[in-house]
Amino acid sequence: MADVRAMVAALAGALALTLPLAAPPPSSAAPVVHTLAGAVRGAARDGYRVFDGVPYAAPPVGALRWTPPRPAAAWSGVREATEPGAACAQPAGEVPGGSTSEDCLYLNVTAPAGASAGRPRPVIVWLHGGGFTSGTGSSYDAHRMARDGDVVVVTVNYRLGALGFLGRPGLAGSGTFGLADQQAALRYVRDNIRGFGGDPRNVTLAGESAGSYAVCAQLASPAAAGLFQRAIMESGPCTGGPARPFAPYAVAPEAAEAAGARFVAAVGCAKAADVPGCLRRVPVARLLAAQGADAQPEYGTRLLPRDPAEALASGRTARVPVLVGANHDEGTIWAAGIMAAGTTVTPANWPEVAGEFVPDPDRAAEVVSAYPVGDTDGGPVFGAVIGDADYACPTLRTGSLFAARGRTWRYEFADPDPPRPLPAPPPFPLGATHTTELPYLFDLGGRPREMTAAQQHLAGTMIGYWTRFARSGDPNGGGAPRWSRSQVQSLAPDRSGPVRPGPGHHCALWATMP
């Protein structure tokens, strides 16, 4: 399963991201901003300004490996902020060639040209996805969102994999180093963003996939209280699904420590007299080779006292406005990866495949009945099962729990043919699968979007919704189709509008699964 997860993660990364192109030329004099640590010089573009590679914490290297983030050291003079910082250590995949850098706690700021300390704009802090093992903030070019939505966007690197989420007794902050990095970035925004033209009192924390799970965790973390005023969650429901074949959810201390013990043994430190010291001497490449395909934050910790799902169900998350949703065909990318690894789905073997997927094999017949497979549609049907079980239905549950306590807006991205720069065609049409909403909000990997006129219009509509929500907690306005809090807003070219929650997703079935 881990090999399949790694392969699918790489496929999903290719679906979302490509190699970067050269940055556009500067349009005027380079802007300089004074932060608490020192001055940074960015670049002015057409209608916006960019500051890349701004350090928000000290490099977690040497003795600081597996410690909570420390403040970045101050500097004299003006620091150049025109190149992104290194991606946090990760295997090859979304980041071509991977990374072995631990000096990676940097953020990137994109601000509209008119933003200033005297006229501050709302701030969106973006947490990238990637199963908590891959990704980097610099993959998300936010200039359209910043310029067209008139907001300041901050994209963040945070520690990944074992370096970010190792659960191990004796390590202060065990299991939550990556989450602590995110909070350090939020504190940096609180203390410095006004100089970039952002409003530190109007911050929206947003993320997709693992980034969305991280938003859930921050909503449940007492240490994050007051660091953001709104939340956007894309394709990462707080409540989880019954099958959870790939999803990086938070885990209990016992499971985190058991996984940590296996990792420590794998890197040769289990019998060391000083296990933390031994771990800090292991080369990064060896750490990456020993870690799993997914990482999972640990709850029952000081930073994350409760499972985010339990915290939401019991009303113990931050009371902020929430915009939450998923894509109509989330699971097709996972089904394609499983089939590429050798699994076939036919009418004859569908009961067996379903039995291996559902948590209670005795109920496989119910899944087969609800999702019948024909001679040619095995992949899409399997994708529908994965998508409903782990995304669509848990997202509706997450949205309902938030709506019972505060202002909540729910969406479903439903473009049946979104742009997808895959290196090779998938085995079947993927539809609006996992990550495909991202090009409507960002230019990914530095490449401009290739869209039809209707898709460009939808992208503008979505940026308008997201940034109006960041401004006021209400996405409505700007002449866009009305978004009702009592329904789900379907987002598709030429037909965006409210729909009844859950049609076609068989959520009544999945609600009864253990």
Side-chain angles (χ1 to χ4, degrees):
M1 183 67 78
D3 291 341
V4 171
R5 176 61 180 87
M7 179 191 63
V8 175
L11 184 60
L15 194 153
L17 306 174
T18 56
L19 291 172
L21 297 177
S27 61
S28 61
V32 174
V33 166
H34 294 272
T35 76
L36 293 180
V40 293
R41 180 184 290 113
R45 308 297 184 195
D46 184 12
Y48 64 99
R49 294 171 293 147
V50 179
F51 301 82
D52 285 330
V54 179
Y56 70 84
V61 301
L64 297 185
R65 180 191 278 182
W66 285 308
T67 66
R70 311 286 180 88
W75 60 85
S76 59
V78 180
R79 180 188 181 108
E80 295 299 324
T82 56
E83 296 289 338
C88 288
Q90 59 191 277
E94 181 174 317
V95 172
S99 172
T100 57
S101 178
E102 294 181 79
D103 179 5
C104 65
L105 299 186
Y106 299 91
L107 54 77
N108 314 290
V109 182
T110 307
S116 66
R119 295 185 60 215
R121 304 303 203 267
V123 181
I124 296 176
V125 176
W126 178 259
L127 305 178
H128 67 79
F132 292 122
T133 58
S134 65
T136 180
S138 59
S139 292
Y140 299 82
D141 178 345
H143 80 273
R144 297 179 195 271
M145 185 181 292
R147 184 188 61 199
D148 301 344
D150 201 28
V151 298
V152 175
V153 183
V154 180
T155 64
V156 178
N157 289 0
Y158 54 93
R159 280 175 284 181
L160 302 166
L163 287 164
F165 299 95
L166 176 66
R168 177 72 188 175
L171 292 177
S174 171
T176 59
F177 301 109
L179 298 181
D181 294 343
Q182 296 166 8
Q183 292 183 4
L186 287 165
R187 290 191 295 272
Y188 182 93
V189 167
R190 178 194 63 194
D191 297 340
N192 294 278
I193 202 64
R194 189 173 291 277
F196 295 92
D199 185 350
R201 299 167 300 179
N202 189 358
V203 176
T204 296
L205 185 62
E208 183 267 344
S209 195
S212 179
Y213 302 134
V215 174
C216 293
Q218 301 298 355
L219 286 165
S221 174
L227 293 177
F228 58 98
Q229 289 70 49
R230 288 178 254 290
I232 296 175
M233 293 179 289
E234 301 174 30
S235 302
C238 297
T239 51
R244 303 186 179 187
F246 304 109
Y249 294 85
V251 294
E254 300 79 17
E257 290 169 11
R262 292 191 295 271
F263 176 82
V264 170
V267 298
C269 289
K271 297 181 180 180
D274 175 15
V275 171
C278 178
L279 287 171
R280 291 184 174 113
R281 292 190 294 271
V282 176
V284 172
R286 190 173 177 187
L287 299 177
L288 293 176
Q291 72 182 26
D294 273 326
Q296 297 171 298
E298 178 184 351
Y299 66 84
T301 60
R302 183 176 180 180
L303 187 146
L304 192 61
R306 297 179 181 85
D307 181 351
E310 185 277 328
L312 176 57
S314 61
R316 296 179 179 179
T317 53
R319 292 181 178 270
V320 301
V322 170
L323 190 156
V324 59
N327 298 348
H328 185 273
D329 308 298
E330 290 275 5
T332 53
I333 187 68
W334 312 111
I338 293 170
M339 295 178 71
T343 296
T344 59
V345 179
T346 67
N349 74 350
W350 179 222
E352 178 184 356
V353 174
E356 293 177 352
F357 176 80
V358 298
D360 182 358
D362 292 338
R363 301 193 60 184
E366 297 174 60
V367 175
V368 171
S369 176
Y371 299 84
V373 165
D375 292 333
T376 61
D377 63 353
V381 172
F382 191 21
V385 168
I386 296 172
D388 287 1
D390 286 335
Y391 291 97
C393 300
T395 297
L396 288 172
R397 172 68 173 158
T398 294
S400 296
L401 289 169
F402 278 120
R405 301 177 56 245
R407 183 180 295 180
T408 302
W409 308 87
R410 297 174 291 174
Y411 76 87
E412 182 175 79
F413 177 77
D415 186 347
D417 189 26
R420 50 175 64 87
L422 281 171
F428 54 84
L430 301 180
T433 196
H434 196 60
T435 77
T436 49
E437 90 286 4
L438 291 174
Y440 293 75
L441 302 170
F442 302 95
D443 286 9
L444 298 169
R447 287 193 177 274
R449 303 170 298 185
E450 296 181 1
M451 294 181 171
T452 67
Q455 289 171 330
Q456 292 279 7
H457 180 76
L458 175 60
T461 298
M462 290 174 60
I463 285 174
Y465 281 143
W466 265 234
T467 55
R468 284 190 296 272
F469 172 81
R471 179 165 287 102
S472 67
D474 186 337
N476 284 300
R482 180 75 182 169
W483 190 327
S484 169
R485 281 163 49 195
S486 64
Q487 295 180 290
V488 172
Q489 191 78 348
S490 176
L491 301 172
D494 298 325
R495 55 182 179 86
S496 294
V499 297
R500 181 172 56 84
H505 287 303
H506 299 291
C507 291
L509 168 64
W510 296 109
T512 64
M513 290 284 183

